[in-house]
Amino acid sequence: MKKVMVFMCAILVFVPSEELMAQSEKSLYFYHDGRIVGTYACSDIDSITLSMENDVEWIIWRGNIVNRLSVAMVDSVYFVSSNSSYQGCPDANHPHWIDLGLPSGTQWRCCNEGASMPEGYGGYYTFRQVTSAPSLDQIIELLNNTTSVWTTQNGVNGREFTGRNGGSVFLPAAGCHWIYFYYVNLSGYYWSSSPNDDDGGAFYLFFDSDSAVSEWDYWNLHGERPVRPVR
């Protein structure tokens, strides 16, 4: 992983397209307070500038699309390999893609969406906000092709899913949010990307200290739950 060092004495920092092309197999991650605040595939970026003339901000140029991130909201910037996968996290520079030996070849990310470490809860999202969540079929594949145990990682309860190839991922018991937080450190409620067309609800992965199963919810689509990305 390559860290982009920024020297604030400069008026403008420019990352040209040539360097981005060299990183074309990677993604660019922006972090603030241990949370991911922006992710961009390097192959989609034309150039990056750090403007210091007015509001100090990162400017990400993608054709005619311009994305801006205030420097006050960015602590660090990393290039992360998009194609590499592992059976476990090789270092502390998360996130990593974990190969669980699943029949479909699906890989699960080591961290929740918005988290910078495997035990981090990350963000909580409504079903309408879900983009990178596994489908119901991918959740069922995970349950049918791994063993899982209730465990604690750095003081956080959750379930560790281990594939037949020895690869494993830890999902923290992040609970859910609907006005208040519920079941934090007791249960996991992870959205799928699959709606339940029979009743207008949606499917999700549920687990606690006893078991892990796929469930469906027909009333709480506006409730917020964590997401564990797959690819």
Side-chain angles (χ1 to χ4, degrees):
M1 180 178 292
K2 177 181 178 181
K3 185 173 183 178
V4 180
M5 301 301 294
V6 178
F7 299 94
M8 302 305 290
C9 60
I11 298 300
L12 187 70
V13 175
F14 174 64
V15 181
S17 58
E18 291 81 4
E19 181 171 345
L20 289 168
M21 288 179 63
Q23 305 285 350
S24 63
E25 298 301 320
K26 298 185 178 182
S27 294
L28 192 62
Y29 283 76
F30 292 82
Y31 285 86
H32 176 68
D33 285 344
R35 294 170 61 91
I36 298 171
V37 294
T39 307
Y40 304 92
C42 289
S43 58
D44 294 337
I45 302 174
D46 295 324
S47 62
I48 305 168
T49 57
L50 178 61
S51 171
M52 300 184 66
E53 295 181 351
N54 298 309
D55 293 333
V56 183
E57 59 185 358
W58 288 96
I59 305 176
I60 300 95
W61 302 86
R62 299 186 295 170
N64 294 326
I65 301 174
V66 178
N67 297 88
R68 298 173 182 269
L69 289 172
S70 169
V71 166
M73 293 300 297
V74 177
D75 298 326
S76 56
V77 185
Y78 291 95
F79 285 116
V80 180
S81 175
S82 300
N83 293 329
S84 297
S85 63
Y86 309 90
Q87 292 183 3
C89 294
D91 52 47
N93 295 318
H94 308 293
H96 305 100
W97 289 104
I98 306 301
D99 178 8
L100 299 171
L102 300 175
S104 69
T106 297
Q107 297 169 356
W108 288 65
R109 205 163 77 183
C110 70
C111 302
N112 285 356
E113 187 70 36
S116 60
M117 58 190 67
E119 65 272 21
Y121 294 155
Y124 291 76
Y125 308 91
T126 68
F127 181 72
R128 305 301 182 193
Q129 297 173 311
V130 169
T131 58
S132 56
S135 66
L136 174 61
D137 288 342
Q138 288 171 317
I139 287 177
I140 293 174
E141 179 186 52
L142 176 76
L143 296 173
N144 289 344
N145 293 275
T146 64
T147 58
S148 70
V149 294
W150 182 258
T151 186
T152 302
Q153 185 164 314
N154 294 328
V156 177
N157 292 333
R159 275 202 168 264
E160 183 176 29
F161 294 82
T162 302
R164 295 168 183 171
N165 67 343
S168 64
V169 291
F170 175 80
L171 273 66
C176 56
H177 181 259
W178 175 249
I179 302 176
Y180 304 103
F181 286 97
Y182 297 94
Y183 310 113
V184 174
N185 219 29
L186 296 175
S187 304
Y189 296 80
Y190 284 79
W191 281 126
S192 79
S193 60
S194 301
N196 184 346
D197 295 330
D198 292 337
D199 61 16
F203 294 94
Y204 64 94
L205 169 66
F206 170 80
F207 62 80
D208 57 15
S209 60
D210 294 325
S211 63
V213 296
S214 61
E215 295 280 1
W216 56 274
D217 196 333
Y218 63 89
W219 61 274
N220 199 15
L221 294 186
H222 298 290
E224 297 172 325
R225 300 176 181 182
V227 171
R228 178 57 62 96
V230 299
R231 69 174 186 182

